[in-house]
Amino acid sequence: MAVLVGASAHAQEAELSPDIAATTQQLIDDALSDEVGLQFVEDLTTEVGARLAGSPDEARARVWAMNALKELNFDVTRVEDFTIPYWARTHESARVVGPNAQDLVITALGGSRATPDGGLEAEIVRFDSLSDLKAADAASLAGKIAFIDEHMYKTQNGAGYGLAVRKRSGCAKAAADKGGVACLIRSVGTQPHRMPHTGGMSREGALGALPAAALSGPDADQLTRLLARGPVRVNLDIGVEYADSAPSGNVIAEVEGSDLKDEIVLIGCHLDSWDLGTGAIDDGAGCGIVVGAAKLIADLPGKPRRTIRVVLYGSEEVGLFGGAAYARRHGDDLAQHVLAAESDFGAGRIWRFQSNFGEGAIPYADTIKSVLTPLGVSEGDNSAGGGPDIGVLSRAGVPVVTPGQDGRDYFDYHHTPDDTFDKIDPEDFRQNVAVYAAFTYIAAETGWDFRMSDAEMVGSD
C-alpha cells in the first residue's frame, strides 16, 4: 500500500498488512452489492415512518431498531434512555386576508409557540435577512409579523445551510425584540416546489419567543409580490403540544473486538426525524449505511481487534440530545474511543474524506484515503468536524473523520414531506456503505493510534 508524501519517516506504521488490505478490498466489493443497509432504511421508513423526537413514533422506532439489530446478530444490542423537552404541531395555516385573500403554504417551526384560538391577524413587514431585522428600529414591528425572505443556494458540501439556517433560529427572538407578534421565514431549502421545510428554532428544544413558521419558496415569492402592491395582512394559526419531559434514547449495537475489545470505533447516525416525511435521507439513510457497514465486518470469519460500536442517536433534530446524553454516560471512557464518524447528510456519493488526527497520525489518514480513492473519493484535509452528534466527542479529543457526501440535492428534500425512500439512489448508497466498511475495518483491525503526536511517533521507533 503506497503511503503519500509526508509519511515517509513512518512508512512502516502506515502500511497495511497484506491480510488487512485483502480483507478491506473484499469488504468494499461486498458492500457494492450489499442489500442489508438499504433494506434497513426501506423497512424503517415503511414500517415506522416519521419519528419525531420524544413522540410515540420515535419510541416505536427504538423498539423496531432493537429487533432489527438483534435479527442481524450483533454481539450486543441495548438502549440507553434519556429524556427531552417535547414539541409537536397540532395544526398550522396561513391566509392572506382582505381583497387579495388566499392561502399560503406553511409549516410551523420546531419550538413555535401557539397562536391564540382562531389565529392572529397582523400586517406583514418584509426583511431581506436576519441582519436587516435585527437592525430595524426598536418597536418598529409593534403588533406586526416579521417576514425574512432570504434565499438559500445549492453547494456540494452543504455550506449554504450554515448561513441560511440562522434566520430559522433567530427570527422569532429578533421579531419579539422589535415588538412583533409572529415570524415567517422563507424555507431553509433549495427546491422550487410548494413544499415548506420545517426545522428546530433552538438547540435546547425550548419554546421560541413567538409563533413561527416557514413558507414554501413559491409562497414566499407570492407574499413578496403582494407586498410590492401594497400592505398585506395575514392570519396565522398554529397549534402545538409541549411537555417539559418525554422519553427518548440511543440505540446501540456492537461488533465485539478481540485483543483490543475495550477500544471503540464508533460509527453513528440519528434515528429520529421530522414529522413531515418519512425521514429517509435525514437520517434513515445514515442509519442504514452504518448498520450495513458494521454487519459486513461482523460477518467476517474472525472478530476485529477493536470493538465497533454502532450508535443510532435519539432526538438529534430538536437539540442534539442523543449526542449529549452519550457523552455524559460515557464520559469516563472517552479515552477508549479511538475513532468516531457519523453519517447524517443523506445518501449522495461520498466525494471527499477528511480526518482530524494528531499530526503524527497523518500517515494513517493518508493510507485510508488511498484505499478509498478507487471509490471516487478525493483526499480531504485534516480539519474534519465529524458530524452533529459526535461533535461533542471531537471536542473532547476523540479523533474523527468526515466522509463528505455530495449534498447538491440534499436540501431539496431536507425536513419536507418529500423526504421519502424513493429519493435514495441504491448505487450511491452502496458506495457509502463501502467507504464506511473500509475505514471502520482498518481502524478496528490495525490498532493504529490516531491521537499520536509527532513526539510519540518518534518515541515508538
Side-chain angles (χ1 to χ4, degrees):
M1 181 62 63
V3 179
L4 303 184
V5 175
S8 58
H10 305 288
Q12 185 62 41
E13 292 89 348
E15 288 180 350
L16 294 177
S17 72
D19 286 347
I20 293 177
T23 301
T24 302
Q25 187 58 54
Q26 187 61 55
L27 286 168
I28 290 172
D29 294 342
D30 291 345
L32 294 177
S33 60
D34 181 58
E35 296 291 341
V36 170
L38 196 62
Q39 192 66 51
F40 189 92
V41 189
E42 179 181 340
D43 292 348
L44 172 64
T45 56
T46 302
E47 297 172 16
V48 180
R51 307 170 296 281
L52 184 66
S55 71
D57 295 325
E58 192 197 24
R60 285 196 302 119
R62 288 193 296 279
V63 173
W64 180 93
M66 279 290 291
N67 290 335
L69 295 169
K70 287 177 180 178
E71 289 179 4
L72 290 171
N73 294 317
F74 282 97
D75 295 321
V76 173
T77 54
R78 65 178 181 274
V79 176
E80 296 179 352
D81 296 317
F82 56 88
T83 61
I84 65 162
Y86 173 67
W87 176 95
R89 75 193 79 242
T90 59
H91 64 269
E92 55 198 12
S93 66
R95 181 171 176 80
V96 175
V97 297
N100 300 311
Q102 56 189 279
D103 292 330
L104 299 171
V105 177
I106 66 160
T107 187
L109 297 176
S112 170
R113 290 188 177 269
T115 59
D117 289 343
L120 61 83
E121 182 181 315
E123 185 176 338
I124 297 291
V125 181
R126 180 185 176 279
F127 299 91
D128 286 329
S129 68
L130 176 62
S131 297
D132 290 341
L133 170 55
K134 289 182 175 180
D137 293 338
S140 61
L141 269 174
K144 300 177 181 179
I145 298 173
F147 163 43
I148 300 180
D149 193 24
E150 182 181 49
H151 289 249
M152 178 181 171
Y153 298 96
K154 292 190 177 191
T155 59
Q156 186 177 31
N157 65 356
Y161 184 65
L163 176 62
V165 78
R166 294 175 189 172
K167 66 179 181 287
R168 194 177 77 201
S169 59
C171 183
K173 182 180 185 305
D177 290 344
K178 309 296 182 182
V181 295
C183 176
L184 294 174
I185 65 168
R186 174 184 285 270
S187 280
V188 182
T190 54
Q191 47 83 16
H193 305 294
R194 212 171 177 198
M195 188 175 302
H197 299 238
T198 191
M201 294 166 62
S202 86
R203 281 301 194 187
E204 292 75 42
L207 285 175
L210 296 173
L215 289 152
S216 79
D219 287 86
D221 292 338
Q222 182 80 331
L223 188 54
T224 294
R225 288 191 293 267
L226 286 168
L227 286 165
R229 288 162 168 77
V232 176
R233 294 181 67 82
V234 166
N235 179 277
L236 179 66
D237 191 359
I238 295 173
V240 305
E241 298 175 337
Y242 184 80
D244 291 331
S245 180
S248 188
N250 295 328
V251 180
I252 293 175
E254 291 181 353
V255 181
E256 189 177 60
S258 56
D259 62 309
L260 298 177
K261 67 180 180 180
D262 291 335
E263 298 181 6
I264 297 163
V265 177
L266 185 154
I267 52 176
C269 63
H270 68 83
L271 187 60
D272 65 306
S273 75
W274 282 105
D275 51 335
L276 302 184
T278 60
I281 66 164
D282 188 18
D283 182 32
C287 292
I289 289 164
V290 297
V291 168
K295 175 60 175 171
L296 286 169
I297 299 170
D299 286 346
L300 292 172
K303 291 181 178 292
R305 297 181 67 197
R306 287 168 166 155
T307 293
I308 297 167
R309 179 174 292 170
V310 179
V311 183
L312 281 56
Y313 290 100
S315 298
E316 185 271 348
E317 293 289 3
V318 297
L320 304 178
F321 287 101
Y326 183 90
R328 286 194 305 271
R329 189 178 187 112
H330 297 277
D332 291 340
D333 64 352
L334 289 186
Q336 295 172 299
H337 289 62
V338 299
L339 186 70
E342 179 176 2
S343 181
D344 184 15
F345 196 45
R349 290 185 69 84
I350 292 172
W351 66 278
R352 180 178 66 179
F353 188 86
Q354 294 172 292
S355 58
N356 197 334
F357 297 169
E359 284 301 315
I362 295 300
Y364 303 149
D366 292 342
T367 298
I368 293 171
K369 291 171 186 176
S370 70
V371 170
L372 301 179
T373 298
L375 290 166
V377 182
S378 65
E379 299 168 3
D381 58 24
N382 196 44
S383 61
D389 280 305
I390 66 169
V392 63
L393 303 183
S394 179
R395 292 189 293 274
V398 177
V400 299
V401 297
T402 299
Q405 294 155 302
D406 188 333
R408 280 173 287 192
D409 65 354
Y410 179 71
F411 292 104
D412 290 354
Y413 311 119
H414 177 254
H415 296 184
T416 74
D418 222 11
D419 180 2
T420 49
F421 180 71
D422 57 296
K423 307 308 184 300
I424 297 174
D425 180 285
E427 183 177 337
D428 290 351
F429 180 93
R430 293 185 180 107
Q431 185 254 13
N432 277 254
V433 177
V435 169
Y436 269 81
F439 78 76
T440 301
Y441 175 71
I442 290 171
E445 188 65 17
T446 59
W448 288 342
D449 185 351
F450 302 108
R451 287 186 172 93
M452 288 178 73
S453 68
D454 288 323
E456 289 171 326
M457 290 283 284
V458 170
S460 66
D461 287 346

